[in-house]
Structure formats: C-alpha cells, structure tokens
Amino acid sequence: PCLELLRDQATCVAARGNGKGKAALFVDLVSAALEKAAASENPPDPTLLAALRTVLAAPEKPASGLVIDRLKKLAKAEWAIAKLDGRWPLPSGKVLASTAPIGNDSLSVACKALAHFREDKGVRVVAFMGQQPACRIPVSSKDSAETMATQWDELKIAIERPDAALIFHLHNHYALITGWRELAVPAKAGGERRQILTARTGQVQAHWLDWSGDHTTVSQGKGVVRKSVRTTLRTWKGHKIMLVEKVAFVSKKDKPDPVLKSIVEHLHKVSEAVEREEAVMEEDGLIEEEGGDDPAPGSDEEPES
C-alpha cells in the first residue's frame, strides 16, 4: 500500500532532492496521494491510514523522520525501476528506458559482490580520479602544467598495477582502461601526446583517448569533438575513474549483502549457458569465431608520430 502512494514521478523526484524545500514537497505530495487513496473505491487499511496521517502531520518529530526516510528510500527505488523500465517520458517527450539509476555506487556494490561470491576475495572500490575533492586525485580546470604531469604519472602507475583495475565512467558509458602511451608530435601541437587505451563505445579496447586537449575529427563529413580524459572528468561530478584494488582483509561492515549471492550465482549460470550455446553455434558454423569482426586494439585515430 505504501508503494502505491509513491508511484507518481513528481513524488519520486522530490524524494531524491536535498534541502528543506524538497523534504517539505515530498511530505506534501505523499499527503495528497494518501488522501486520494483514502477517497478511492479500495482505500488502504484504516490503521495504516491513521498511522501515516500522524507521521505526515508532524514530520519534525524523530519517530516521524524515521518513517519518512523509509518512504523516501522506497520512492528512490521506485524512481530507479521506472527509469530502467522507461515508464516516464524524457524531457524531449520520448519514452525510453534509461540507465541513469546505475551509477558509481552500483558499480562498487557489483564489483565487491562478484569478487566476494565468485572468487572469495576482497576488493576495495574507490574514486581514483575526478572533479570532487573526495577523489584520490582531484582534477580541476585550474590545475597547473606541473600538477597535470603529476596526475598523469599517477594514472600510469595505476594502469600498470597488477593488483588493480581501472574503470572509466565517461559519457553514458563504463569501460576498462588497459594501457597508456606517450607520442612525439610536432612542437606546434605540444611536442608530446599522452593517451590512454579504453573503449569509448562497447567494451573492445580500441580507442586512444587524449589525456588533455580536446580535438576535432571528421566523421561522415561532420566535425566531431573528441573530449580528452581531463575534460570528461570535469564535465560532471559523476564522471570518474574508479579504482578496483585487491585487499587482504574485508571488515564485516564492508562485506557485500548476502542477498546478492543468489544474483551472482544466477548470473554465473546464465553466462555459462550462453558460452555453451555460442560454442555449439560456432562449431556448427552459425556464428563466426569470437573477435573476428572486432577492431584491432588501439586502432582508433592513430596520430602521426
């Protein structure tokens, strides 16, 4: 019954907001939904109605605050499900499924669960590089040339670590970072070009992204701006390079939720079933050998050295 009160888009959006204004708006919207439900042909249980009315009438009380926080969590979860299902129209008017609810926190939870339940190992997931001060290496438009050089050196060290992996959250995409290179270019172009190997689309490591300095390429007769790593990180606070590193010990508090174990096991079974099916199809000549049509690693936009 509580969930039915939180299916409205405006209510879910208000639950995700910060500040007293958003909190008051959430209470007002839930109160309106509650009264509407009470006047419907199938009203909620009278005891539930009375309890929620008491809570919403005095949101400043500690006990009421706890209940309202629970309602907000439900509304946030409903928002995520609605986005993934494509239930609500986008600002453009189109009704499309969106992966907006899948963010860096979800990535962290998934990495920890996979490591713990599949490999019986512990990992730590941290924001390695981004615009927020909480990142190990904050990136700013005010960084000096010396600071940018130091950041680049730290990134190279992280890429080469045998006990860690880097995942780049770029525009509407997540991809591994698996290599780096430094190229000599004409003096007028800076004398040196620093790049990382990742996947701008898909997951094949085929794209060299510049560490700094955006540039324009021509695609299908149109100029396309290729944003550098630094520009991407500064575009939005959610764009980060995440570091997944092995740890020797995981505290009880940091261990993944046991509920995720069944999900990991199910995904493992599905993955194995898909691999078996593809092996049979490949043997029968129904599909080409894996990687046959993949671009060569790092084949994207090779600059002249």
Side-chain angles (χ1 to χ4, degrees):
C2 288
L3 190 57
E4 291 300 323
L5 302 174
L6 307 171
R7 292 194 183 278
D8 178 67
Q9 183 176 3
T11 305
C12 293
V13 172
R16 300 181 69 247
N18 297 317
K20 292 183 178 180
K22 288 288 186 180
L25 176 61
F26 176 75
V27 170
D28 290 343
L29 290 171
V30 174
S31 298
L34 183 65
E35 297 308 320
K36 184 178 179 180
S40 65
E41 293 182 359
N42 298 306
D45 180 77
T47 304
L48 176 63
L49 277 173
L52 286 176
R53 280 171 174 157
T54 301
V55 167
L56 297 170
E60 71 282 354
K61 293 184 177 180
S64 297
L66 291 174
V67 176
I68 291 172
D69 283 343
R70 291 291 182 91
L71 291 174
K72 280 187 175 181
K73 287 182 179 179
L74 282 172
K76 290 176 182 178
E78 180 64 18
W79 174 86
I81 294 170
K83 280 284 188 181
L84 292 169
D85 286 347
R87 192 186 309 161
W88 297 328
L90 300 174
S92 62
K94 293 182 179 179
V95 180
L96 298 171
S98 169
T99 56
I102 311 300
N104 297 332
D105 290 343
S106 303
L107 176 75
S108 176
V109 170
C111 287
K112 291 176 182 178
L114 286 168
H116 182 74
F117 295 123
R118 281 285 302 276
E119 306 294 339
D120 195 25
K121 298 183 185 299
V123 297
R124 176 169 50 224
V125 184
V126 298
F128 177 72
M129 189 174 285
Q131 64 168 267
Q132 292 183 305
C135 295
R136 282 191 182 178
I137 303 177
V139 173
S140 167
S141 59
K142 298 179 181 179
D143 291 338
S144 64
E146 183 180 355
T147 299
M148 288 191 284
T150 301
Q151 293 168 346
W152 172 247
D153 289 339
E154 292 290 339
L155 181 56
K156 290 192 296 183
I157 292 171
I159 291 173
E160 294 180 4
R161 281 182 57 178
D163 64 334
L166 292 175
I167 303 176
F168 190 11
H169 182 186
L170 53 165
H171 184 64
N172 286 338
H173 193 51
Y174 282 97
L176 288 166
I177 298 175
T178 57
W180 63 268
R181 69 181 181 183
E182 295 173 342
L183 299 159
V185 296
K188 64 180 180 180
E192 185 179 53
R193 194 169 184 180
R194 300 163 174 166
Q195 297 179 317
I196 61 168
L197 181 60
T198 184
R200 190 182 295 110
T201 58
Q203 293 301 324
V204 178
Q205 298 288 293
H207 304 135
W208 287 105
L209 268 62
D210 286 297
W211 160 244
S212 61
D214 303 342
H215 66 281
T216 302
T217 60
V218 178
S219 176
Q220 298 180 348
K222 296 182 179 179
V224 178
V225 177
R226 296 300 189 190
K227 292 181 179 179
S228 67
V229 175
R230 285 182 52 82
T231 298
T232 300
L233 294 175
R234 299 198 317 267
T235 300
W236 178 52
K237 65 181 181 180
H239 289 160
K240 290 183 175 73
I241 295 177
M242 308 296 292
L243 176 72
V244 185
E245 57 186 357
K246 292 180 182 178
V247 292
F249 173 77
V250 179
S251 66
K252 187 176 181 179
K253 174 175 69 71
D254 291 330
K255 286 185 177 179
D257 191 330
V259 173
L260 297 173
K261 183 176 181 180
S262 60
I263 298 175
V264 172
E265 291 174 346
H266 173 70
L267 291 174
H268 185 46
K269 291 178 181 177
V270 171
S271 178
E272 288 182 330
V274 170
E275 289 178 1
R276 288 195 297 269
E277 184 178 350
E278 288 181 346
V280 172
M281 294 176 69
E282 187 177 315
E283 187 175 340
D284 294 342
L286 299 177
I287 60 173
E288 294 183 5
E289 185 177 353
E290 183 178 355
D293 292 332
D294 289 343
S299 62
D300 177 69
E301 296 173 16
E302 294 279 2
E304 295 182 4
S305 57

